[in-house]
Amino acid sequence: AQSVTQLDSHVSVSEGTPVLLRCNYSSSYSPSLFWYVQHPNKGLQLLLKYTSAATLVKGINGFEAEFKKSETSFHLTKPSAHMSDAAEYFCVVSPYSSASKIIFGSGTRLSIRP
Amino acid sequence: DTAVSQTPKYLVTQMGNDKSIKCEQNLGHDTMYWYKQDSKKFLKIMFSYNNKELIINETVPNRFSPKSPDKAHLNLHINSLELGDSAVYFCASSARTSTDTQYFGPGTRLTVL
């Protein structure tokens, strides 16, 4: 069985400060892990993905995430928040199988204070 | 060019009606998906489909059925609409499997009165 838990439903940071969005997962197989971003009234867009290559994954817009197998975590970080980062962020797990079921976390809403 | 498109963007209908949402992708992908996003932003996969296999999430009522006339299209048909079907429905596609990046459509907001 697999699952994904986003530990914070809402994170608020000041512009220019670091961002940390937390995600823990469980999977019976070696999973692929993703972070997607959803801006208001829009579809989802891929930020980055981990597929068993480098454990530190760099994505778009300055975001990165580190895969830590021992902690079963895949936290999303950004050194300096920008107002345009305000959105909903989803951590996603998908095992390495063509007939598998993809699971989305419950989402973390990121707010940026001026 | 829009990679994944959905129509309509908004759909308002009465309980008991039957409705369809259309999805098209021009990425040449093999696999398409339908997701339901509820009012709390929770996303759940409903179906994944490629030219070989339809995978249905067992929690989806059989009032919901995907129909794929060809590889580039996966439409969602809903019979006997209920109030609880109100949500935003997203179509997505990926090159081959769910471990590939998914590209999402803009969503269809369904409101059942």
Side-chain angles (χ1 to χ4, degrees), chain B:
Chain B
D1 283 343
T2 303
V4 182
S5 59
Q6 295 177 230
T7 54
K9 189 170 176 63
Y10 300 96
L11 183 55
V12 181
T13 188
Q14 299 288 331
M15 279 175 53
N17 285 350
D18 301 340
K19 290 293 178 186
S20 292
I21 306 172
K22 295 184 177 181
C23 178
E24 176 181 1
Q25 55 96 3
N26 63 6
L27 298 167
H29 287 169
D30 284 345
T31 304
M32 297 183 72
Y33 310 81
W34 277 105
Y35 291 89
K36 179 181 180 181
Q37 186 174 45
D38 63 24
S39 58
K40 296 184 178 180
K41 300 288 186 182
F42 185 66
L43 267 158
K44 181 180 280 189
I45 188 166
M46 301 175 72
F47 307 100
S48 67
Y49 183 79
N50 63 20
N51 55 5
K52 300 175 186 175
E53 192 174 21
L54 169 65
I55 299 174
I56 303 172
N57 185 320
E58 62 274 10
T59 66
V60 175
N62 57 14
R63 298 182 294 104
F64 290 79
S65 57
K67 299 187 189 302
S68 180
D70 55 58
K71 198 172 85 163
H73 297 84
L74 184 65
N75 304 324
L76 181 65
H77 190 75
I78 316 169
N79 290 327
S80 303
L81 277 156
E82 300 178 357
L83 293 176
D85 298 333
S86 296
V88 181
Y89 292 84
F90 286 99
C91 176
S93 71
S94 67
R96 288 172 295 115
T97 72
S98 60
T99 58
D100 297 318
T101 299
Q102 294 194 29
Y103 294 82
F104 284 79
T108 296
R109 183 174 295 275
L110 171 65
T111 303
V112 182
L113 303 175

Side-chain angles (χ1 to χ4, degrees), chain A residues 10-17 19 81-87 89 110-114:
Chain A
H10 182 211
V11 170
S12 179
V13 301
S14 297
E15 190 175 19
T17 64
V19 174
H82 193 272
M83 294 300 291
S84 61
D85 294 329
Y89 291 79
L110 177 62
S111 300
I112 311 295
R113 300 187 299 271

Side-chain angles (χ1 to χ4, degrees), chain A residues 13-60:
Chain A
V13 301
S14 297
E15 190 175 19
T17 64
V19 174
L20 170 64
L21 305 183
R22 299 182 294 166
C23 174
N24 286 105
Y25 71 94
S26 68
S27 178
S28 304
Y29 307 94
S30 297
S32 289
L33 295 162
F34 305 78
W35 276 99
Y36 284 85
V37 60
Q38 184 180 26
H39 287 93
N41 300 313
K42 300 287 186 185
L44 282 76
Q45 179 186 18
L46 179 74
L47 275 179
L48 50 81
K49 71 175 182 179
Y50 167 78
T51 54
S52 75
T55 56
L56 183 62
V57 182
K58 293 188 184 298
I60 62 171

